[in-house]
Amino acid sequence: MFKQIKKLLKELSEQPREKNTIDFNTALAALLIEVMRADGKVLEIELIKVTEVLVERCELDDKQVNALITLAQQLVEQAIDLYAFVKQINNNTSDIERIEIVQLLWFVAYADNDIDRYEDHIIRKIAGLLYVSHADFIAAKLAAQ
């Protein structure tokens, strides 16, 4: 019996693991898309804002951004939670950069000049997962206005 368990464990450890397809840019795009979708409406103006943010912050061209948005939308649809996206952000940013990311989320929410309670909720949730304090959360919101 122990031989079978050892054999099983050895086989499992030797199997190639799936490569993590989520990089920083994809994680950021996914969080922006989560905010865009939070109110149940995907408006063109919000999609344009997501594109602008990714072009400016990730230094990508329009073609790369469109591919990134498509990939991020697929990952968001398949995701059970935000953990994989937030983990990537937390692993690759400082406290100040995470506050800036919360501000970027607010930019997307303000794109249609209407903050829905669901948008506010998802940004508040993401900010908590990014370990952004409430004071910095509010400062980012005010700066985005």
Side-chain angles (χ1 to χ4, degrees):
M1 183 168 164
F2 288 116
K3 288 181 183 180
Q4 289 175 336
I5 292 173
K6 280 184 174 181
K7 181 180 175 186
L8 177 63
L9 291 174
K10 184 177 179 184
E11 288 173 3
L12 288 174
S13 67
E14 290 175 354
Q15 290 178 352
R17 295 180 185 238
E18 282 186 34
K19 186 176 179 182
N20 188 1
T21 60
I22 300 175
D23 61 1
F24 177 82
N25 291 346
T26 306
L28 177 60
L31 294 179
L32 294 169
I33 288 167
E34 275 291 335
V35 172
M36 180 180 73
R37 296 171 8 125
D39 60 1
K41 302 174 280 187
V42 177
L43 301 176
E44 185 67 27
I45 189 101
E46 292 173 326
L47 188 57
I48 290 169
K49 182 54 88 175
V50 169
T51 302
E52 287 173 2
V53 166
L54 292 173
V55 165
E56 180 183 325
R57 298 298 173 151
C58 299
E59 299 177 355
L60 302 172
D61 62 34
D62 288 337
K63 186 177 178 181
Q64 292 171 316
V65 167
N66 290 335
L68 180 61
I69 288 173
T70 301
L71 173 62
Q73 285 174 324
Q74 291 170 355
L75 292 172
V76 166
E77 288 289 329
Q78 297 169 358
I80 297 170
D81 58 21
L82 301 172
Y83 177 75
F85 310 125
V86 171
K87 180 182 176 188
Q88 190 62 242
I89 300 293
N90 282 335
N91 288 342
N92 292 291
T93 57
S94 67
D95 294 340
I96 300 297
E97 292 167 329
R98 288 193 292 275
I99 295 167
E100 290 174 3
I101 288 171
V102 171
Q103 187 174 351
L104 296 177
L105 300 175
W106 281 115
F107 285 150
V108 173
Y110 278 117
D112 62 355
N113 295 318
D114 179 44
I115 299 297
D116 186 84
R117 65 185 174 148
Y118 297 112
E119 291 171 329
D120 183 79
H121 173 75
I122 195 71
I123 296 172
R124 189 175 303 273
K125 181 178 179 177
I126 293 168
L129 294 170
L130 293 174
Y131 308 110
V132 172
S133 71
H134 183 70
D136 290 332
F137 167 82
I138 297 298
K141 182 177 183 179
L142 294 174
Q145 288 177 334

